[in-house]
Amino acid sequence: TPTRYEAETAPAVCQGTIDSNHAGFSGSGFCNGNAAVGAYAQFTVNASTAGTATLGVRFANGASGARPANLVVNGSTVATVSYETTGAWTTWSTKSLTVSLNAGSNTIRLDPTTAVGLPNIDSLDVG
Ligand code: GCU
């Protein structure tokens, strides 16, 4: 069973507001990042051992265009991920990604590359 980290729960960081106006999120809200390049959401996750982990980024993108973001693990950009439209802000989808983690604490940052910023980010599953 993966471990879920909520975007609204410290030590997660949301460069924007924690909102709850679009149903379907888990926990108490989601990160509505600012509309700017680099307005990130960041999670701090624990891994019991070093190695490959599967991430599940739960997001909603009710806009018409994709919202790409760099995936930054422990300060290094490892991929650019396209968060396609989900059709509505209440329609949530999960993007599966594979990364290498260190044993112990790791930071995982979703760092948008365009001026529209991130989609709304609900949570990160790590399995
Ligand atoms: C709307 C929507 C927000 C979303 C924003 C955006 O304002 O209500 O939840 O974050 O669009 O375009 O990012």
Side-chain angles (χ1 to χ4, degrees):
T1 316
T3 301
R4 175 158 289 190
Y5 296 88
E6 294 291 346
E8 68 274 21
T9 303
V13 177
C14 170
Q15 292 198 325
T17 56
I18 302 299
D19 292 354
S20 56
N21 58 330
H22 298 300
F25 54 84
S26 65
S28 59
F30 55 85
C31 175
N32 171 359
N34 295 327
V37 172
Y40 63 79
Q42 179 172 289
F43 298 87
T44 299
V45 309
N46 192 67
S48 50
T49 57
T52 301
T54 301
L55 306 181
V57 179
R58 193 160 187 269
F59 73 100
N61 179 3
S64 55
R67 297 208 171 174
N70 286 332
L71 176 64
V72 184
V73 178
N74 298 322
S76 295
T77 298
V78 297
T80 303
V81 178
S82 177
Y83 295 93
E84 295 84 3
T85 180
T86 59
W89 294 108
T90 50
T91 300
W92 299 85
S93 181
T94 300
K95 178 72 78 172
S96 288
L97 308 166
T98 301
V99 295
S100 268
L101 296 180
N102 300 326
S105 184
N106 295 263
T107 57
I108 295 176
R109 182 179 292 189
L110 314 180
D111 197 347
T113 61
T114 78
V116 291
L118 289 172
N120 290 343
I121 301 293
D122 178 37
S123 58
L124 178 71
D125 284 345
V126 181

